[in-house]
Amino acid sequence: MTVQIKYCGCQSEEDYKLLIETKADLIGFIFAESRREVDPKNVNRWIEKYGKPKKLVGVFQNATLEKIKEVVNTVPIDIIQCHGTESIHQLKEIRDHCNKKIYKALPFSENIIKEIATYGKVSDALIIDSVSQGQFGGTGIPFSWKEVPNMMRKAEQIGITCFIAGGIKPDNVSELMRLHPHGIDLSGGIEENGKKSVQKIETLERMIMR
């Protein structure tokens, strides 16, 4: 199985121009309060200028259905990623009203296998991310990867894809690849001075493709 690559936190025209030339399968834009938050109108301009050769993901956190629909009507995203405490009911509502694939981010915990079984029923893919000092996502710190094989098996049982996120970098991605994740999700690990780095991306992709 070929690992899927998602590069998230695309926050400028320069980032977008770089990322569409990489081996990524998915490019993510954050439409939630964050230092990487982007304006949907700007994103749409980049897409119109450079095309859309990759699948695009819109990342939201406890957003209203109206907010999500507004972005979906502006940006031709393929996937809605919910990165907050959205309930099963809310995920179903978003899927039904927006007619997009749904990815759900889950914080790693001792209950993660049960969470995968629960949220996998209404999601096309799950993204397991780390928690540090109460912050979920964007921590730059990996969680313990020893449970990755068990998480992949559970996801396969219910027929969904499972991505690993949080603190993945060129210097540790080989360790993760040995555990055979379905996908990896990176943002800060491929940045230099707040911008996506072609050198880090090329190094990381060499490690993955070996």
Side-chain angles (χ1 to χ4, degrees):
M1 180 178 180
T2 303
V3 64
Q4 293 188 50
I5 302 173
K6 175 174 175 275
Y7 292 146
C8 202
C10 177
Q11 55 186 319
S12 68
E13 181 177 331
E14 182 181 2
D15 278 355
Y16 186 69
K17 185 178 179 181
L18 168 62
L19 294 180
I20 60 175
E21 298 296 332
T22 67
K23 298 184 184 300
D25 302 281
L26 305 156
I27 297 174
F29 302 93
I30 298 178
F31 300 112
E33 187 174 338
S34 163
R35 63 187 176 90
R36 298 187 180 95
E37 182 178 5
V38 289
D39 186 310
K41 293 179 181 178
N42 288 338
V43 174
N44 196 51
R45 281 196 291 270
W46 307 336
I47 295 167
E48 289 179 344
K49 185 172 181 178
Y50 297 106
K52 184 176 171 284
K54 310 285 187 182
K55 295 286 187 182
L56 305 182
V57 182
V59 180
F60 302 87
Q61 187 173 50
N62 299 326
T64 63
L65 179 58
E66 289 70 25
K67 166 69 181 293
I68 295 173
K69 288 169 68 175
E70 180 181 339
V71 174
V72 168
N73 290 333
T74 303
V75 183
I77 60 175
D78 303 284
I79 296 156
I80 295 169
Q81 177 180 325
C82 295
H83 209 98
T85 56
E86 298 87 359
S87 66
I88 296 292
H89 172 75
Q90 287 172 312
L91 295 179
K92 289 180 179 178
E93 185 178 45
I94 293 167
R95 183 182 59 193
D96 292 345
H97 282 82
C98 298
N99 194 30
K100 301 287 182 182
K101 288 188 174 183
I102 301 294
Y103 284 16
K104 178 71 180 81
L106 298 174
F108 177 77
S109 72
E110 61 182 13
N111 298 317
I112 193 61
I113 301 300
K114 182 179 179 180
E115 294 285 288
I116 289 172
T118 299
Y119 281 92
K121 297 175 184 177
V122 294
S123 306
D124 297 281
L126 297 174
I127 298 169
I128 313 303
D129 208 341
S130 55
V131 178
S132 178
Q133 298 179 344
Q135 180 183 344
F136 171 37
T139 66
I141 301 172
F143 59 85
S144 172
W145 289 339
K146 64 181 181 180
E147 282 296 315
V148 168
N150 291 332
M151 292 189 287
M152 298 305 122
R153 279 193 290 271
K154 175 54 68 174
E156 289 162 11
Q157 287 174 5
I158 55 181
I160 63 169
T161 301
C162 189
F163 287 77
I164 301 301
I168 303 170
K169 304 173 184 178
D171 60 3
N172 66 7
V173 72
S174 293
E175 176 188 349
L176 181 56
M177 289 302 99
R178 289 193 288 270
L179 302 174
H180 307 292
H182 300 157
I184 59 172
D185 187 339
L186 301 94
S187 186
I190 53 168
E191 290 181 353
E192 192 76 46
N193 298 320
K195 299 179 180 180
K196 299 308 187 216
S197 164
V198 64
Q199 290 83 10
K200 287 190 174 185
I201 289 171
E202 288 177 349
T203 300
L204 180 124
E205 291 181 348
R206 283 197 299 272
M207 303 298 288
I208 294 173
M209 304 302 171
R210 286 196 308 188

